[in-house]
Amino acid sequence: MHTLFNTLFFVLIITFYSVNINNKTIVESYIEARNNYDISKIVTLVDSAYQEIYYDGTLEIKDIAHLKQTILFGKEIDSKIKLVSLTSKNNTVTTLEENSNYIDSALGRKLRTFKISYTFKNGKILKQKIEPIKGHKAIVKFNDACWDTFLKFCKKHDINYQSDTMDSDLGRSLKKALGRYVDAKNTIQSNE
């Protein structure tokens, strides 16, 4: 009886450990696929009911179709995720991720870091819960001021980059508008 208990305990520990390692690998693969804009790979890593939800309940990504559009938008603006840390407990992998894109470099915005909790269903990512870390409000305030300056520039120079959806078309037109903003800023600086 004692040997049977030890064997069962050992099997449970090995199973739990391998699930945690597998979930970590899935998250690492997901981030790599996001950075490479590999939609076909991403679809194999997420559950059909996949969502990304902010800590306050706001839906960032509502479904896989929305995720695909967001990835295509991100590709146009050179969106990247830097994995800062990764831990695993039970059926949740928690990361610290730093997000950057061309908008940040063009506007001089500060990078955003989030604590992301990934939960799983049947070996796939079911959802991400996105939480800001300390200092996030100050970063948002600074970044909003940078964005407002860009919007004023666009209004002054009659630059329209708007789109009804966050997709590759919006990404291309936004990047073009940001390029005009950077060029104008560089011209002003070189004339000083």
Side-chain angles (χ1 to χ4, degrees):
M1 180 75 173
H2 184 65
T3 307
L4 178 62
F5 177 75
N6 285 344
T7 303
L8 286 174
F9 182 73
F10 180 74
V11 168
L12 285 173
I13 293 296
I14 294 299
T15 302
F16 178 75
Y17 183 72
S18 66
V19 166
N20 281 341
I21 288 176
N22 188 43
N23 288 348
K24 284 181 175 181
T25 302
I26 291 168
V27 170
E28 290 169 334
S29 296
Y30 174 82
I31 291 170
E32 180 181 354
R34 282 290 296 256
N35 284 336
N36 292 317
Y37 319 106
D38 188 347
I39 292 173
S40 59
K41 175 70 173 175
I42 289 167
V43 170
T44 68
L45 299 170
V46 298
D47 186 79
S48 60
Y50 177 82
Q51 293 184 325
E52 294 180 15
I53 305 166
Y54 279 109
Y55 66 99
D56 64 359
T58 305
L59 215 53
E60 172 72 0
I61 303 290
K62 62 183 177 179
D63 56 27
I64 291 178
H66 188 203
L67 175 63
K68 290 176 182 179
Q69 285 182 325
T70 302
I71 292 167
L72 293 173
F73 171 79
K75 183 177 183 179
E76 296 299 330
I77 61 163
D78 306 317
S79 181
K80 296 293 181 192
I81 300 168
K82 178 183 174 186
L83 181 60
V84 178
S85 70
L86 180 141
T87 59
S88 181
K89 184 176 181 180
N90 300 327
N91 197 38
T92 303
V93 171
T94 304
T95 62
L96 278 181
E97 298 175 16
E98 184 180 81
N99 296 289
S100 63
N101 57 49
Y102 180 68
I103 301 168
D104 300 322
S105 59
L107 301 183
R109 296 189 324 178
K110 295 180 180 178
L111 303 183
R112 292 138 336 272
T113 303
F114 295 95
K115 175 183 170 186
I116 312 287
S117 299
Y118 293 83
T119 54
F120 297 83
K121 178 181 174 186
N122 300 323
K124 294 188 173 195
I125 301 169
L126 176 62
K127 72 176 176 181
Q128 291 185 38
K129 181 180 176 192
I130 305 164
E131 299 178 55
I133 63 169
K134 186 177 180 180
H136 180 74
K137 285 184 181 181
I139 290 171
V140 168
K141 185 177 180 179
F142 177 85
N143 289 351
D144 284 350
C146 295
W147 184 254
D148 288 343
T149 301
F150 170 67
L151 291 179
K152 288 174 188 171
F153 171 84
C154 288
K155 186 175 181 177
K156 179 180 178 181
H157 297 281
D158 198 28
I159 299 171
N160 184 10
Y161 63 86
Q162 300 297 325
S163 175
D164 293 337
T165 57
M166 183 184 248
D167 59 9
S168 57
D169 290 338
L170 174 60
R172 276 190 296 278
S173 63
L174 177 57
K175 190 170 185 178
K176 185 177 178 181
L178 288 163
R180 288 185 60 191
Y181 176 78
V182 169
D183 290 345
K185 198 164 87 172
N186 288 341
T187 300
I188 290 169
Q189 288 175 349
S190 66
N191 290 335
E192 291 179 344

